[in-house]
Amino acid sequence: MKLLRNNLLEAFCAVVECGGFSEAQFRLGISQSAISCRIRDLEIALGYRVCERGRSGFQLTERGKIAYEKACEIIRMVEDFDAELLELRGTITGQLRIGIVDTVISLPGFPLVPALQRFFSKENDVNLEIVVASPNDLKEGLITGSLHIALAPFKRKRDELEYIKVCSENHFLYCGREHELFDAGKDEISPEILSNHAVCQRSYDMIVARDAKTPEPKAIVTNMEAAAALILSGKFLGVLPDHYATQWVETGNMRLLEHPNLTWTSEFYVASRKSQSHRQAVEWFIKALLQEGVI
């Protein structure tokens, strides 16, 4: 149920996110001609064009890009407003937007799955959205309101956010079977290898080893899967969480390059905005994550 609706903005956002009018009709449940009318009415109300459409396809104008960002923000605010009012009748409802980093399901102690089980074992009318992104993007999502909760290894804290530690993740340096270090002796493994071999690094978390210079990365990745692919190619060294790399180590396709100064630990936190008046859905899910009480 939506108490406050803006059909023009909803149609505009749907067209942008679906990549065109024909795709958006399935999400909105209306015809292309009806969508076209709504976009036209929006442009008349705004006094400028938000998109170009024709044989070359759908494309946002420069003003349209700004309008889309603002429209998304308004729609999220309306959804939260509706939920807060409807919760007064005793029903947990509305949107719950959660952000996580990739490849964390196998992390021991990561509380998302049990929290989902506990949360949805109680009757509610919540629409859940889970977003996978980098810690930096998740942080910005919390600040802008596009996310309610995020679980990630936040190293640089923001004053606007509240952080509660939930678990830790161990990281090690790995090479692939085809790499020259795969059969190297333990005495050959030292922090200096980071400077002597091509290294892939995550854009949001650069490798810094004790007793060695920070290497100049030869490849930048934004997620663990991309890092694993580069390591498996045999052309790069890279850091992975041990729980994620285990599947390739056990099959003999990766080797952990063991050295006390080539290990890293990430502290995982559940983060949310301090200033927001937490809706019941947000509060209850955070409790489920922290295993406080019975939901």
Side-chain angles (χ1 to χ4, degrees):
M1 178 179 179
K2 294 184 179 181
L3 300 176
L4 298 178
R5 297 197 62 162
N6 189 308
N7 291 334
L8 304 186
L9 293 181
E10 290 176 1
F12 175 45
C13 289
V15 169
V16 175
E17 291 161 8
C18 294
F21 286 55
S22 60
E23 293 81 1
Q25 65 181 329
F26 301 106
R27 178 192 289 193
L28 296 170
I30 59 177
S31 66
Q32 290 189 54
S33 60
I35 295 173
S36 181
C37 288
R38 292 186 183 183
I39 299 300
R40 180 201 61 199
D41 291 345
L42 176 63
E43 291 179 328
I44 291 172
L46 293 174
Y48 55 82
R49 293 182 69 84
V50 295
C51 61
E52 303 293 344
R53 53 267 196 197
R55 292 184 178 180
S56 59
F58 172 84
Q59 188 173 4
L60 284 175
T61 63
E62 288 304 313
R63 288 179 178 178
K65 293 176 183 178
I66 299 172
Y68 169 68
E69 293 177 1
K70 296 296 183 182
C72 289
E73 184 177 342
I74 290 170
I75 289 173
R76 287 192 298 265
M77 291 174 64
V78 167
E79 290 172 346
D80 290 344
F81 173 82
D82 285 354
E84 288 172 14
L85 288 187
L86 291 172
E87 282 179 355
L88 295 177
R89 69 185 183 186
T91 301
I92 306 302
T93 186
Q95 296 281 331
L96 179 59
R97 300 183 293 271
I98 300 172
I100 61 173
V101 291
D102 64 320
T103 65
V104 289
I105 298 304
S106 59
L107 171 61
F110 189 71
L112 181 61
V113 171
L116 290 169
Q117 292 170 334
R118 298 182 68 207
F119 184 83
F120 285 103
S121 66
K122 182 176 179 64
E123 184 178 353
N124 64 70
D125 190 24
V126 171
N127 292 317
L128 177 67
E129 179 181 356
I130 298 180
V131 175
V132 178
S134 71
N136 292 336
D137 289 341
L138 296 178
K139 191 185 306 178
E140 290 304 311
L142 290 171
I143 292 169
T144 62
S146 63
L147 294 174
H148 296 118
I149 302 168
L151 290 131
F154 297 109
K155 292 189 175 181
R156 297 175 182 84
K157 308 294 192 300
R158 293 285 294 265
D159 292 339
E160 308 96 308
L161 303 179
E162 181 178 18
Y163 302 86
I164 303 173
K165 182 180 174 181
V166 291
C167 62
S168 299
E169 183 178 57
N170 295 320
H171 297 248
F172 297 92
L173 187 68
Y174 293 89
C175 70
R177 170 181 285 280
E178 303 302 320
H179 197 278
E180 61 185 277
L181 290 177
F182 191 82
D183 295 316
K186 286 189 175 182
D187 57 334
E188 299 178 59
I189 308 303
S190 69
E192 285 70 31
I193 63 175
L194 293 175
S195 301
N196 299 329
H197 297 273
V199 176
C200 64
Q201 299 208 37
R202 296 192 289 274
S203 58
Y204 56 87
D205 190 13
M206 295 298 174
I207 299 172
V208 179
R210 298 184 295 276
D211 304 326
K213 295 180 180 179
T214 301
E216 188 71 26
K218 298 298 183 182
I220 299 293
V221 299
T222 59
N223 57 66
M224 299 294 184
E225 188 172 13
L230 290 173
I231 295 168
L232 288 168
S233 74
K235 302 300 182 182
F236 295 87
L237 304 179
V239 172
L240 292 175
D242 58 347
H243 63 91
Y244 180 57
T246 295
Q247 57 189 305
W248 294 292
V249 172
E250 290 180 347
T251 59
N253 290 306
M254 272 190 197
R255 175 190 173 181
L256 187 160
L257 299 173
E258 192 172 357
H259 187 281
N261 290 351
L262 293 174
T263 64
W264 299 266
T265 300
S266 294
E267 306 295 345
F268 268 73
Y269 298 86
V270 52
S272 60
R273 282 182 292 168
K274 289 180 181 178
S275 59
Q276 73 179 0
S277 177
H278 282 174
R279 301 196 337 264
Q280 282 185 301
V282 177
E283 292 179 350
W284 285 22
F285 199 84
I286 290 175
K287 286 183 180 180
L289 286 167
L290 302 176
Q291 298 183 345
E292 293 179 359
V294 177
I295 293 181

